[in-house]
Amino acid sequence: MMHRRRPGLGLAVLSLMYMGGLLSTPFVNVSSPASSAVARRAADKRPPPRDLEPRLSPEDKYDMPRTPEEEKNMNYWRSDFDDLPAEEKLQSPLVVLGFFLLLTPFIGGFYTLVSGGGLDD
């Protein structure tokens, strides 16, 4: 049995997704106090108040750095990979493999779209 393309099916799915987005709009509360406080802080370029900073558990005695200089003086553990220049990082086999695994599905999908999906019309 030969498969036939249904040209309206993709359009129907896209229109359903669009309508779903429109129908969910009334349920989104844009004027919540938290969002306005965040917007005000972003507009003022002020650092967040102390009560909004991330906290650790009460039994942990770690003091979080507040400035980049304090963070630099903390002497965090760094690997040798962190100290490499960008050119050498891109030549690392694990980075190349990661890019390959990331891009393979997109290249396969593009090939499928260009070749017609393997269906004979």
Side-chain angles (χ1 to χ4, degrees):
M1 179 178 230
M2 184 184 278
H3 290 288
R4 295 183 55 189
R5 292 186 183 182
R6 298 180 186 186
L9 185 61
L11 184 60
V13 169
L14 285 177
S15 62
L16 283 173
M17 290 172 60
Y18 178 73
M19 291 303 292
L22 287 179
L23 292 176
S24 67
T25 304
F27 301 108
V28 177
N29 184 6
V30 178
S31 64
S32 70
S35 65
S36 62
V38 171
R40 280 193 307 268
R41 249 195 344 272
D44 293 341
K45 306 271 190 228
R46 291 181 293 170
R50 300 290 297 168
D51 60 336
L52 292 180
E53 286 186 359
R55 296 184 184 153
L56 300 170
S57 60
E59 64 270 359
D60 197 349
K61 303 298 182 206
Y62 176 75
D63 187 28
M64 295 185 72
R66 289 175 178 63
T67 63
E69 291 81 23
E70 286 182 14
E71 186 173 348
K72 195 173 190 178
N73 293 335
M74 296 291 287
N75 293 327
Y76 288 117
W77 177 83
R78 292 175 56 98
S79 69
D80 293 334
F81 188 79
D82 293 328
D83 297 329
L84 291 176
E87 296 83 24
E88 290 185 31
K89 287 181 184 178
L90 289 174
Q91 293 174 354
S92 168
L94 289 177
V95 173
V96 172
L97 179 66
F99 279 130
F100 176 75
L101 292 175
L102 178 74
L103 295 176
T104 300
F106 294 103
I107 294 170
F110 179 74
Y111 174 76
T112 303
L113 285 173
V114 169
S115 67
L119 298 175
D120 296 329
D121 288 333

